[in-house]
Amino acid sequence: MIKVCAIASGSNGNCYYIGTEKEAILVDAGISRRQIMKRMKELRLDIGRVKAVFISHEHSDHIKGLRVLCDMHGIEAYLTRDTLQKAHRNYHPQSAHVFNAGDSVKVGAFMVHSFSKKHDAIDPTSFRVEVEGQHIGVMTDIGAACDKTREHLSKCDIVFLESNYDEQLLDEGPYPYYLKQRVKSDHGHLSNKQAVELVEEMAGAGLKTIFLSHISADNNRVEIAMNAFRHLSDRYNILPTNRYAPSEIVTVGEEQLALFGS
C-alpha cells in the first residue's frame, strides 16, 4: 500500500509525502519541523518512517524546515550542490547528499528520478518517484513545461501539478507589474490554463490522480482551479491542496484507489 499526500502546498510552504507501510520520503520541507510533525500526526503518518527529504530548490518555502527536521530525526537530505550552496546557511543540515539534476537516486524501496525544470532558482529540479510499480510526480514551481517535464508526466500514475494562478485574477490583482511578469514568465509559475493544457497533451494512460498544487492565495482560488479541471473529472481524480492544512491521502493498493479525509 502506498500513501500519497501534500503536507503543505503554497507560497508559504511546501512538503509532499510518499510512503509505503514501512518507509517514506518527503519532497521539500518548506514549513517548520513542528508544523510537519503536527500535520503528519493529524493524518496518522509516522515521522519514523521518513528516510529522506529531496529538495527541489533553495527558495525558503521549499527548504526552511530541512535542517531541524533532518538533524532531529536522523533523516537524510538530498539536493543538488548548487542548491545547497545557494540556500541560506540556517537551512543547512549537518550532512547532505548531493545529486545532479538527471540522476536517479535509490532510497529503500524508492527510486527518485530527478530532472531540471524552468524556475527562477539556481538549479531547480522536479521529481518522479517510482515505488511498488507506481510513479508519483512532484512538478511545481514551473514557469513553462519543458520536454523533460512532459516526458516524466507521461509516466505518472499520480502527480502533484502546479496550478498556481488564474490569468484574470493575476492581471487585475495587487501585484506590481514586474512581479506579474515574473509569475507569467517561463521561469515563474504555471497558470490553471497551462496546467490543464499540459495534462490534456501529455498525460499517460496510467494517470489516475492529480493534486492541484501551489495554488496562489492572491492570484487564484481553489474553486477556480478545480473548475478549470472540471471537464477532466470523469477521467481523473482531481484533488486540491492547501497551504494551511494537509490534503486528503490517496492510498493505492494492488487493485484499489481509496480516499481518506484529513
Side-chain angles (χ1 to χ4, degrees), residues 21 227 239:
E21 294 178 340
N227 189 58
L239 295 174

Side-chain angles (χ1 to χ4, degrees), residues 6-257:
I7 303 298
S9 184
S11 58
N12 62 332
N14 295 270
C15 184
Y16 304 94
Y17 176 96
I18 303 166
T20 68
E21 294 178 340
K22 295 182 179 179
E23 53 191 353
I25 65 168
L26 301 177
V27 173
D28 288 335
I31 58 176
S32 69
R33 174 252 178 199
R34 180 175 294 180
Q35 276 295 314
I36 291 172
M37 295 286 291
K38 177 180 180 291
R39 298 182 193 190
M40 287 184 65
K41 186 177 181 180
E42 289 176 19
L43 297 174
R44 291 182 283 184
L45 299 173
D46 182 4
I47 191 67
R49 293 181 181 174
V50 177
K51 306 302 179 187
V53 182
F54 285 79
I55 297 297
S56 63
H57 61 291
E58 75 276 9
H59 294 166
S60 63
D61 59 322
H62 294 263
I63 197 173
K64 65 185 175 186
L66 182 68
R67 178 182 62 82
V68 177
L69 183 70
C70 289
D71 291 354
M72 288 191 67
H73 296 279
I75 296 171
E76 302 292 335
Y78 290 83
L79 61 176
T80 71
R81 186 176 304 280
D82 285 346
T83 296
L84 179 62
Q85 291 177 348
K86 185 71 172 180
H88 194 286
R89 294 191 62 84
N90 287 348
Y91 304 150
H92 287 202
Q94 290 179 359
S95 63
H97 300 275
V98 171
F99 66 87
N100 295 314
D103 288 350
S104 294
V105 179
K106 184 170 176 56
V107 176
F110 304 90
M111 183 64 75
V112 182
H113 305 284
S114 67
F115 55 100
S116 296
K117 64 182 177 183
K118 291 186 175 182
H119 192 54
D120 57 353
I122 189 70
D123 190 18
T125 57
S126 288
F127 303 98
R128 174 171 56 86
V129 181
E130 186 176 355
V131 55
E132 295 186 359
Q134 297 291 311
H135 297 258
I136 299 98
V138 182
M139 303 178 186
T140 69
D141 297 76
I142 301 167
C146 64
D147 290 343
K148 292 176 183 177
T149 297
R150 293 171 176 270
E151 175 190 353
H152 284 274
L153 176 62
S154 72
K155 299 176 181 178
C156 287
D157 300 288
I158 299 171
V159 64
F160 295 96
L161 181 64
E162 175 162 87
S163 192
N164 179 256
Y165 68 95
D166 173 78
E167 293 174 347
Q168 182 177 349
L169 285 182
L170 177 63
D171 287 342
E172 297 176 356
Y175 279 17
Y177 177 78
Y178 80 90
L179 189 52
K180 291 179 181 180
Q181 295 306 113
R182 178 257 178 189
V183 170
K184 290 180 178 181
S185 77
D186 284 352
H187 291 81
H189 293 278
L190 285 186
S191 69
N192 297 332
K193 180 181 178 182
Q194 288 173 311
V196 168
E197 290 173 349
L198 179 59
V199 170
E200 289 176 334
E201 293 172 9
M202 296 307 303
L207 185 63
K208 304 177 187 71
T209 297
I210 303 169
F211 285 92
L212 303 186
S213 303
H214 215 298
I215 296 172
S216 172
D218 297 310
N219 306 307
N220 208 355
R221 301 287 184 272
V222 168
E223 58 270 22
I224 293 175
M226 292 290 287
N227 189 58
F229 278 81
R230 188 179 304 279
H231 66 290
L232 298 175
S233 61
D234 60 337
R235 296 169 56 188
Y236 308 112
N237 182 28
I238 312 293
L239 295 174
T241 60
N242 192 315
R243 64 186 53 233
Y244 302 115
S247 72
E248 296 178 83
I249 294 177
V250 168
T251 301
V252 184
E254 293 181 356
E255 297 181 353
Q256 66 175 345
L257 179 65

